[in-house]
Structures are given as C-alpha cells and as structure tokens.
Amino acid sequence: MKNKTLRRMYKMLKPQMKSIAIISILAILINVGEVVKPYLIKIVIDDFLTANIYQKGIMTIGIIGTSYIAIVILGNILNFIVTTATSMMGENVIYSIRNKLYQYAQYANIPFHDKTPAGTLFVRITSDVEDITTLFKEVITTFIKDILIIVALIIMMLSINYQLALLSFLVIPLVIITSIIITKITNKAQEYSKMVKTKLNIFLAESIYGVKLIKIFNRQYEKQKKCDELCTAFWKSRIPTGITEAFLVAIMMILENLGVCIIVWASLNYIIGTTVDVGIVYVFVTYIKQIFNPINRLVENFETIQEALVSIDKIYEILEHKEYLENFEERKVFEKLEGKIEFKNVWFAYEGENWILKDISFTIEPGQSVALVGKTGSGKTTITNLINRFYEIQKGEILLDGINIKEINLRSLREKIGIILQDPFVFARSIKDNIQLNKNFSDEYIWKTIELASAEEFVASLPNGIEEISNERGSSYSSGQKQLLAFARIFAHNPSIFILDEATANIDTKTEELIQKSVDKISKEKTSIFIAHRLSTIVNVDKIIVLNQGEIIEEGSHNELVNKENGYYSKLYNAYYSGLVE
C-alpha cells in the first residue's frame, strides 16, 4: 500500500478516531468472550466429565453453563452496539466525503469542468463513494476486531500448551505468504477494473444525456455495440479478481484443516513428548478454527479493501487539486456596480499560446449597450466568459468600475452580471424555483418578471402555474419557452450588467419584439452586451465591436460601420440583408 494512500485514508479516519477507539474497546470485550467460551467447555471436559463429577469446590457445571450463557448474551448485545456504531460511523464518513466532492464540483473553476467529463464526477460521487462505504461499514471495525482476536487466541494457546501451539502455528507463514502474493495480483486487477468501470459510466452518462441526438442520427445500433464492448471489457476485468478471491478462500480452507490435522496428529502420537487432555485438544481445535475465521474474513475483505483504496485515491486525486478551486470569500465586495467595463491589452488562450484573444482593448461605459459581432470562433463568447472570470487571462487587465476583476470578490462579481445563453438550463423543479434559484421572491414579484419576459401566456397555460414542475433539463418545454424562463430569471435577479448570447434565437418574431422592448427598457439603465448572428437585432445598440480571429478590427455604431466603405461589418450586414431578401 502506498504511503500517499495511507495518508489519504488517515484523513478520512481522523474525525472518527473517537468512535473507532470506543468500538475497539467493545470489540476487545467481545473477543474476550469468544476466547473464554471454549475454555469453559475445556474445563467441563477435563475437570468434570473426565473425572465423572458434578462439582469441584464452589464451581459446578451449572455455574459454568450459566456463565457461558451470560457471555453469549452479553457478547450479542455488545455486537449489536458495535454493528450499529460501525454503520453510523460509515454513514458519517460517506456523508462527509460526498459533500466534499459535491462542494468541490460546485466551487471548481470552468477549466476543471472543461477537462473533467461529467460522467467521471458522477462516478466519483456515487460509485467510488459506495466502495468506501463498504470499507467503513463492514471492514474497518471488523478488521480491528479480527486482529485483536487473532492476537488473543495466539496468547491463550501459548499459555495453555506452547509446544502444541507452536506446531499449530506452522501454517501461519503459509497464510501470510499466500495472502501477500495474491493481494498484489488483486490490486493490479482492481486498478484496471476501476479504470474500465469509469469509462463505462462516462459512456452511459453521455448516452443518456445525448439520447435525442442519438435518435436523430439513428446511432442506437452503434451505441449499443459500444456499450456491449465496454460491458464485456468490464466483465473480463472482474474475472481475475473473482479467480484470485476464490483461490485464496480455497487455500485458506485447506490450511485451516491442515492446522486441525496437525493438532490431532500431534496429540495422538505424543509428538510433543507428553499426553494431551481431551479438553485441550478440543480447545486447540476450536481456537485454530477461530483464528482462521478472522483470517478468512480478512482475506475475503481484500477485494473490498483494494476497491476502496483505489476509490480513495481517485477521490483525493480530485480533492487535493486546490488550484482549480475558486475563492468566493476574499477580496473586494461591490455594494453597487455602475457597469463600466474596460479591457486593456488582454491576451487569452485556453491552452499554451494558442491565442483566442490577441491584445484586445475596448471600453464600455455604464448603461451603454454593445454588440459583439464576428464569425464563429472569433472570440465573442470568450470575452463574456472573461468578464465573469470563468477563466484567467494571461496578459493585460480587465476592469469593472476601474477595479481589476482579480481584486473583486467572485460572488459579488457574478451577482452583478446576468447571462442568458442560447440554450438555457432548466432544473427539474418548479417554474418559481427556476426563476428565484433559492432566493426568496414573492409570487407577485415573480409574476411581474414573467410578464416582463412576455412569458405570462405560457406560464398561465400550465396546470399549476408557477408551481408547475419541469421534467429533467426542461424537456417538457420548448427551446423558446426555456428562453422565456431564462429572461424572467435574469429580470428577477436584476443584475447591473446584462449579457445576451444569441438569447432570442429560438423565440418567434412576435415574442422577440415584445422581449426586445423589455430589454431596451432595461438596457437604458444597465450595461448590456449582445452576441448576435442575426444582425437585425443589434442595429439600435450604442456600439458594435467587430472581431476577427481574436482581434478587434472595427468599432462604432451601426450607421458608422455600415456606411464604412469596404468595411468588414458592412460586408457582413449586406450579405445578411441580401440573404433575407432572397
């Protein structure tokens, strides 16, 4: 086991050390009972039955029997307490880890999510956490209990007859060597199996999310074939583990019975140079079986332990990368944002020096409406992502109201900026929940924002109005209806800066005109940025910034740019207008 893995496991165990200590003490008491029970029977056999007597001093068979029953009852009560406490401890650990993973996913920056498939995160939060659950609920405390009882039984056997004990211990080195060899093989198999399992889960998640696209292109057969391949690969990856586990259990059974044979053989043939009482033979046979029971349990748990350790490493490979976490607590908090935006010689690349923006500089005054225009890939959406500080720029400065956005509290920054995307996300919650997003708005206020977004007819037609529950990802609504909800959401939260990224692409012309009036009314008071391919929607903005291959090539009002001879925007607009005429 790697030192790094041990440190990670200790991090998980540290908050539960008090519970583990209490459980361990109770396990010791249970183990004492397990050791004492066979010894009581040994006393009855050698001191009473062999001598054909009922009483010896103050001790009688009845007292010994009563003591045996009391130990059984007390042991079961303690075992119930240990089992319950272990389960609770396991749930506490899992609660903590699952919440940490979810919190990390929420606070991680966009570059982390760009390179980490959603399916991978889903596997970490569900499947990997479940593997750890089994470790804590079924293995950790039984592991302590098993180790303690093995030690106790060895001490007891040595104290009763050290010669017979040493003979019976001859099989233990074989047990240890076999376990080490097979554990190494199992560990490699588990790592490979975990990798295949992750690929399978990622594939399943993507296939479920993209089921509509699969149907559109009739790719069901190909996807099913791929699923069969991954399922077969996963099944094959589990075969080595199953074989090694079964082989190890079989070897343990053989060695256990070999230990019993050694005891009986030594006792019958006086190998140790003395006679052995029947009770001692009984107690040694019982103890050797009791030793192998926890050993077998430990061996059987090797698979669980290996799976859990691999899962722990996978989980901490995420949690230990603090560089991806965004800081929402420190830096300057905006009480009020006027809305002035400045880009000063900004250079940005997603990877290396593959520059998406090259030496970009422009200023948007408070309350000004600006449109970003250019071909696909020219950097329009990247600019809006940088204003939200979803990514960090490599060179230059971005200022809001004269303050570098790196000095602004992220929570405060993003509360002041509202974005509507071309394909807005709708949660499987009520209309009301989707608009307020855990804020507490009155129903009257929500209806006002719905009217402002021209969505009142749509929402009023729903059986439960604003309490209507959406299907997953808003599949019960059309693309246009989802965009109307997005407008209502942004109006309700009333940000200082509006960013609309092709936000009316899926809305009919009549509704777009109504929304445009609402947007025009709001944009008179707030800074607004529009990204639009339909140039007819931006003719009234205060300024148009034209981008090409990450550079600003033109800047000005619609009239200025459209009348510019051989201008890039003029060509774009004329081509667009000619297309409409045709």
Side-chain angles (χ1 to χ4, degrees):
M1 193 184 298
K2 300 175 184 177
N3 290 332
K4 185 185 288 186
T5 305
L6 288 173
R7 287 196 300 270
R8 289 166 171 172
M9 189 171 178
Y10 177 71
K11 283 182 184 178
M12 300 174 69
L13 285 171
K14 190 175 179 180
Q16 308 298 326
M17 293 307 290
K18 185 177 179 180
S19 298
I20 292 173
I22 294 171
I23 291 170
S24 299
I25 292 170
L26 295 178
I28 290 173
L29 295 176
I30 294 171
N31 289 338
V32 168
E34 292 299 311
V35 173
V36 169
K37 285 191 297 182
Y39 193 75
L40 290 177
I41 294 177
K42 179 258 182 197
I43 291 173
V44 171
I45 293 171
D46 288 344
D47 295 352
F48 291 88
L49 298 182
T50 305
N52 198 24
I53 60 175
Y54 173 79
Q55 185 168 355
K56 188 175 182 181
I58 62 171
M59 295 297 293
T60 66
I61 293 179
I63 292 173
I64 295 173
T66 303
S67 300
Y68 189 96
I69 292 171
I71 290 171
V72 170
I73 294 172
L74 181 60
N76 278 281
I77 292 171
L78 293 177
N79 198 54
F80 171 78
I81 295 171
V82 167
T83 303
T84 304
T86 301
S87 180
M88 293 302 297
M89 182 186 71
E91 291 298 336
N92 288 337
V93 171
I94 300 319
Y95 170 84
S96 173
I97 290 296
R98 185 166 278 146
N99 273 282
K100 283 181 181 178
L101 278 170
Y102 181 78
Q103 185 180 42
Y104 189 98
Q106 292 297 308
Y107 283 83
N109 57 22
I110 298 299
F112 169 81
H113 289 283
D114 287 343
K115 74 174 193 174
T116 307
T120 298
L121 286 175
F122 183 76
V123 170
R124 298 291 169 265
I125 295 173
T126 54
S127 178
D128 287 333
V129 170
E130 288 302 320
D131 289 343
I132 299 173
T133 304
T134 306
L135 175 68
F136 279 89
K137 293 176 72 173
E138 299 179 12
V139 177
I140 291 290
T141 49
T142 58
F143 177 82
I144 295 170
K145 180 182 174 183
D146 290 339
I147 294 294
L148 291 174
I149 197 167
I150 290 170
V151 173
L153 289 169
I154 289 174
I155 293 172
M156 196 69 177
M157 291 169 74
L158 288 171
S159 64
I160 294 172
N161 190 317
Y162 77 92
Q163 294 167 305
L164 193 58
L166 291 175
L167 277 174
S168 61
F169 295 160
L170 288 175
V171 296
I172 292 180
L174 295 174
V175 172
I176 295 171
I177 292 169
T178 304
S179 299
I180 290 172
I181 293 172
I182 295 181
T183 300
K184 287 183 177 180
I185 297 171
T186 305
N187 189 25
K188 290 181 180 179
Q190 285 293 344
E191 288 184 5
Y192 176 71
S193 179
K194 182 69 69 175
M195 180 189 70
V196 176
K197 185 179 181 181
T198 299
K199 286 183 179 179
L200 174 60
N201 280 292
I202 291 171
F203 170 80
L204 293 174
E206 288 179 344
S207 297
I208 292 169
Y209 294 149
V211 65
K212 185 179 288 185
L213 188 65
I214 292 170
K215 288 180 178 295
I216 289 171
F217 287 94
N218 283 317
R219 296 292 92 187
Q220 292 96 328
Y221 174 77
E222 287 77 9
K223 287 294 181 181
Q224 182 61 55
K225 188 176 179 181
K226 181 65 175 177
C227 183
D228 289 342
E229 290 175 3
L230 289 171
C231 287
T232 301
F234 180 60
W235 171 70
K236 288 181 178 179
S237 74
R238 300 293 297 171
I239 291 174
T241 302
I243 292 173
T244 53
E245 182 184 1
F247 179 74
L248 197 52
V249 171
I251 289 293
M252 291 301 108
M253 290 297 294
I254 292 171
L255 294 176
E256 176 186 331
N257 286 285
L258 178 60
V260 172
C261 291
I262 290 173
I263 293 169
V264 175
W265 175 71
S267 302
L268 293 176
N269 292 280
Y270 305 104
I271 298 299
I272 60 177
T274 182
T275 59
V276 180
D277 293 335
V278 176
I280 291 178
V281 175
Y282 166 79
V283 81
F284 263 78
V285 170
T286 304
Y287 282 166
I288 201 70
K289 284 183 172 291
Q290 284 186 326
I291 284 178
F292 272 88
N293 282 339
I295 289 176
N296 285 335
R297 206 156 38 235
L298 291 172
V299 169
E300 289 171 3
N301 284 331
F302 277 152
E303 181 185 358
T304 301
I305 293 170
Q306 293 303 326
E307 284 185 352
L309 293 178
V310 172
S311 294
I312 287 172
D313 281 337
K314 294 291 185 184
I315 287 170
Y316 274 97
E317 281 172 9
I318 291 176
L319 294 179
E320 288 179 348
H321 282 281
K322 304 297 183 185
E323 69 272 17
Y324 292 115
L325 292 176
E326 295 178 314
N327 187 344
F328 285 84
E329 305 304 326
E330 299 176 0
R331 300 185 175 89
K332 180 180 177 61
V333 176
F334 272 125
E335 295 298 330
K336 184 180 179 182
L337 179 64
E338 297 296 331
K340 183 178 181 180
I341 303 171
E342 297 175 82
F343 273 55
K344 292 186 176 180
N345 308 109
V346 172
W347 290 73
F348 174 74
Y350 291 104
E351 291 183 7
E353 295 189 357
N354 183 21
W355 301 110
I356 305 300
L357 299 180
K358 306 167 187 175
D359 199 26
I360 294 291
S361 296
F362 63 83
T363 300
I364 302 175
E365 297 296 335
Q368 195 173 32
S369 58
V370 173
L372 302 177
V373 174
K375 293 180 179 179
T376 300
S378 59
K380 305 184 296 297
T381 300
T382 298
I383 287 175
T384 62
N385 285 335
L386 295 179
I387 294 172
N388 276 277
R389 205 175 155 209
F390 290 147
Y391 301 91
E392 299 294 343
I393 61 175
Q394 283 81 14
K395 302 177 188 178
E397 284 184 306
I398 300 174
L399 309 177
L400 286 184
D401 286 1
I403 303 172
N404 192 312
I405 62 169
K406 292 182 179 180
E407 300 173 9
I408 301 171
N409 177 275
L410 272 178
R411 194 182 304 278
S412 177
L413 170 69
R414 291 174 186 168
E415 280 180 349
K416 300 296 187 295
I417 301 172
I419 302 180
I420 298 181
L421 303 173
Q422 185 173 349
D423 185 20
F425 190 89
V426 175
F427 293 97
R429 304 290 298 274
S430 67
I431 297 287
K432 179 179 178 179
D433 290 336
N434 270 287
I435 291 174
Q436 62 184 10
L437 294 177
N438 295 327
K439 285 197 172 184
N440 190 19
F441 297 144
S442 67
D443 289 1
E444 183 182 1
Y445 179 74
I446 289 174
W447 273 109
K448 283 182 180 179
T449 62
I450 290 172
E451 290 170 8
L452 194 61
S454 301
E456 69 273 21
E457 182 179 347
F458 150 55
V459 177
S461 68
L462 299 173
N464 299 306
I466 61 173
E467 300 297 337
E468 182 74 13
I469 304 295
S470 165
N471 290 346
E472 185 180 11
R473 301 169 71 87
S475 61
S476 50
Y477 309 132
S478 69
S479 297
Q481 289 170 333
K482 286 193 286 186
Q483 284 191 313
L484 293 179
L485 289 179
F487 272 101
R489 180 189 292 162
I490 201 171
F491 292 155
H493 288 264
N494 194 29
S496 302
I497 297 173
F498 279 87
I499 298 175
L500 282 73
D501 188 350
E502 200 65 50
T504 57
N506 297 311
I507 298 174
D508 63 86
T509 305
K510 181 180 178 182
T511 306
E512 183 183 3
E513 289 175 358
L514 294 173
I515 289 180
Q516 193 63 49
K517 290 179 181 178
S518 299
V519 171
D520 290 342
K521 181 180 178 182
I522 291 171
S523 53
K524 288 179 182 178
E525 307 168 357
K526 301 178 185 295
T527 304
S528 305
I529 300 174
F530 301 89
I531 298 176
H533 294 99
R534 287 189 291 178
L535 301 184
S536 60
T537 62
I538 59 168
V539 294
N540 295 321
V541 298
D542 298 322
K543 180 167 64 175
I544 296 171
I545 297 173
V546 184
L547 295 154
N548 186 38
Q549 296 182 350
E551 297 179 290
I552 295 176
I553 56 174
E554 290 178 350
E555 190 173 346
S557 68
H558 169 74
N559 289 332
E560 290 172 347
L561 295 179
V562 82
N563 292 318
K564 188 175 181 180
E565 188 175 352
N566 294 321
Y568 187 87
Y569 177 81
S570 177
K571 291 178 181 178
L572 279 179
Y573 186 79
N574 288 331
Y576 171 77
Y577 184 75
S578 297
L580 290 180
V581 171
E582 291 177 6

